[in-house]
Amino acid sequence: MFADRAKIYVRSGKGGDGHVSFRREKYVPNGGPDGGDGGRGGSVILEVDEGLNTLTKYRHAHHYYAEHGENGGKRNCHGKNGQDIVLKVPEGTVVKEAVSGKVITDMSGDNRRVVLLTGGRGGNGNQHYATSTMQAPKYAQPGQPAKELELILELKVIADVGLVGFPNVGKSTFLSRVTNARPKIANYHFTTLNPNLGVVDLGDEKGFVIADIPGLIEGASEGVGLGHEFLRHIERTKVIIHIVDAPGVEGRDPVSDIYTINKELEAYNQEIAKRPQVIAANKIDCIYDKENNPVEAIQKEFEPKGIKVFPISAVTGEGVKELLYYVRELLDTLDDEVVVFEQEYFPEFNGLSNEPFTIEYDTQHEEYVVEGPRIEKMLGYTNLESEKGFAFFQKFLKDTGILEQLEAAGIEEGDTVRMYGLSFNYYK
């Protein structure tokens, strides 16, 4: 069974707790603290697997857990780090947060491996808290908690060209003729369920990837029939080929079909409807009345709108070569980059927005001091030296209201802000 959508729950590993113990040996009556640190919890990692083309695995198993870090031990023994869990997905998988539907990551293009949830950091053992005034600390740091997420995985096929059309207009036959794909073909009055991918080889010319998208029925943009399962696969395609039953062998009106498909595309996503289109008027081998050629009616309707119409026969191959070379020319005018969906949801930020924080002005050092558990957690897993990490840091300050409260406290440009050892100057 083909599966292009799945809902799963993932959880990273909790960090191991730091240990409280003291060195107790013969001849060492007053040994110091020797509690070891807890191990790091395992992370949840997504990785593209070139050998996968479905999400079937995730339709049967829904819960995935990374390993917890072990607690620290006496004699400075460090707890074992938890094992990461790596989830293999096909290229083109878009990962969304289940409740909001916002994109977390798109496993496409150069994005081959993503740490989705980092494991909790292990807590420090009591050996770290010894001071000149407290030589026997009875406190150790607990490990950071695990992080969890409920995800929607959606496979959006990556193809240069998408074939669209109502059921039984000849899309599968066309794909089997022009590519190495071998879809199941029969005269059934229902649609292909699987998006079949194939590579068009034009000899010395540059080839391209083409996909027979699952057949469309009216109301698809509202979820009727295959609905969104059809439409999500066309979001990445750069050129759309409408295949229609030109002579109306199945009793359909080709002109009406094209308008219906475009209406569904526009209702789902206006950007998709604006992409270059070509019409393949199929089954011309079944046209016997040459004086009332239905292809001419299609050309008269759509070519003035800038949509080229090619009369073809997917069965005999007539007209197919001309269509493919025209599509190749269209692709050459477009950007080669894969359509990648931008990140809208940041798992690292999840759960921090409701925790308290304080803002005070330190008159001695002339600094604004921001403290609180959410600040400590955020700084614990954010790499501020990376561009992405610093962008997240800025978003965190804005979305949690910290910047707003600093301004309410009277901060001005150039003033210093301190957060757990990190100091920076404030600028709008």
Side-chain angles (χ1 to χ4, degrees), residues 171-298:
K171 293 190 286 104
S172 295
T173 304
F174 176 82
L175 188 74
S176 67
R177 170 167 286 278
V178 303
T179 74
N180 56 355
R182 291 294 175 263
K184 293 180 180 178
I185 302 168
N187 190 29
Y188 297 140
H189 289 265
F190 54 79
T191 181
T192 302
L193 293 177
N194 301 7
N196 292 296
L197 284 174
V199 178
V200 175
D201 183 4
L202 297 178
D204 294 336
E205 297 292 325
K206 188 178 176 184
F208 55 87
V209 179
I210 193 167
D212 168 18
I213 306 296
L216 177 65
I217 62 174
E218 196 163 3
S221 60
E222 299 171 2
V224 176
L226 287 177
H228 295 152
E229 279 73 11
F230 158 78
L231 290 162
R232 78 167 53 95
H233 289 300
I234 206 169
E235 289 190 50
R236 297 191 198 271
T237 56
K238 299 170 186 173
V239 174
I240 296 170
I241 299 179
H242 293 262
I243 297 192
V244 292
D245 175 3
V249 173
E250 298 292 323
R252 307 196 61 86
D253 176 7
V255 172
S256 174
D257 281 359
I258 294 167
Y259 279 122
T260 299
I261 287 175
N262 278 335
K263 180 182 175 184
E264 295 301 326
L265 293 178
E266 189 171 1
Y268 180 72
N269 186 328
Q270 291 188 352
E271 290 302 314
I272 297 174
K274 293 176 184 176
R275 290 176 192 167
Q277 300 182 5
V278 183
I279 294 171
N282 193 24
K283 302 187 181 180
I284 59 172
D285 52 302
C286 297
I287 297 174
Y288 304 109
D289 185 356
K290 302 300 182 182
E291 292 187 5
N292 297 308
N293 191 333
V295 175
E296 294 177 2
I298 301 171

Side-chain angles (χ1 to χ4, degrees), residues 310-332:
F310 287 86
I312 71 161
S313 169
V315 172
T316 67
E318 184 179 353
V320 169
K321 185 177 179 180
E322 291 79 3
L323 168 64
L324 295 178
Y325 276 97
Y326 177 78
V327 169
R328 178 66 264 171
E329 290 174 8
L330 265 182
L331 289 170
D332 287 340

Side-chain angles (χ1 to χ4, degrees), residues 5 22 48 60 165 168 202 220 234 300 308 346 357 363 404:
R5 194 172 192 271
F22 299 90
V48 170
H60 303 295
N168 213 37
L202 297 178
I234 206 169
K300 184 177 179 181
K308 184 77 173 171
F346 296 81
F357 64 89
T363 54
E404 185 179 349

Side-chain angles (χ1 to χ4, degrees), residues 93-110:
T93 300
V94 177
V95 183
K96 298 180 179 180
E97 196 274 325
V99 176
S100 65
K102 292 183 177 179
V103 174
I104 297 174
T105 188
D106 182 354
M107 304 301 289
S108 307
D110 296 330

Side-chain angles (χ1 to χ4, degrees), residues 349 357-359 368-371 374-375 378 390-419 422 424-428:
F349 184 64
F357 64 89
T358 60
I359 294 178
Y368 287 87
V369 181
V370 183
E371 292 183 335
R374 76 168 91 177
I375 313 296
M378 183 274 295
F390 191 73
F392 168 69
F393 172 66
Q394 291 177 307
K395 178 178 172 60
F396 172 85
L397 295 180
K398 181 179 179 180
D399 290 352
T400 52
I402 293 174
L403 290 182
E404 185 179 349
Q405 290 204 27
L406 281 170
E407 290 171 0
I411 196 169
E412 297 181 357
E413 288 202 10
D415 286 350
T416 302
V417 179
R418 186 174 79 242
M419 298 182 184
L422 172 72
F424 63 92
N425 295 328
Y426 170 80
Y427 292 101
K428 280 191 176 182

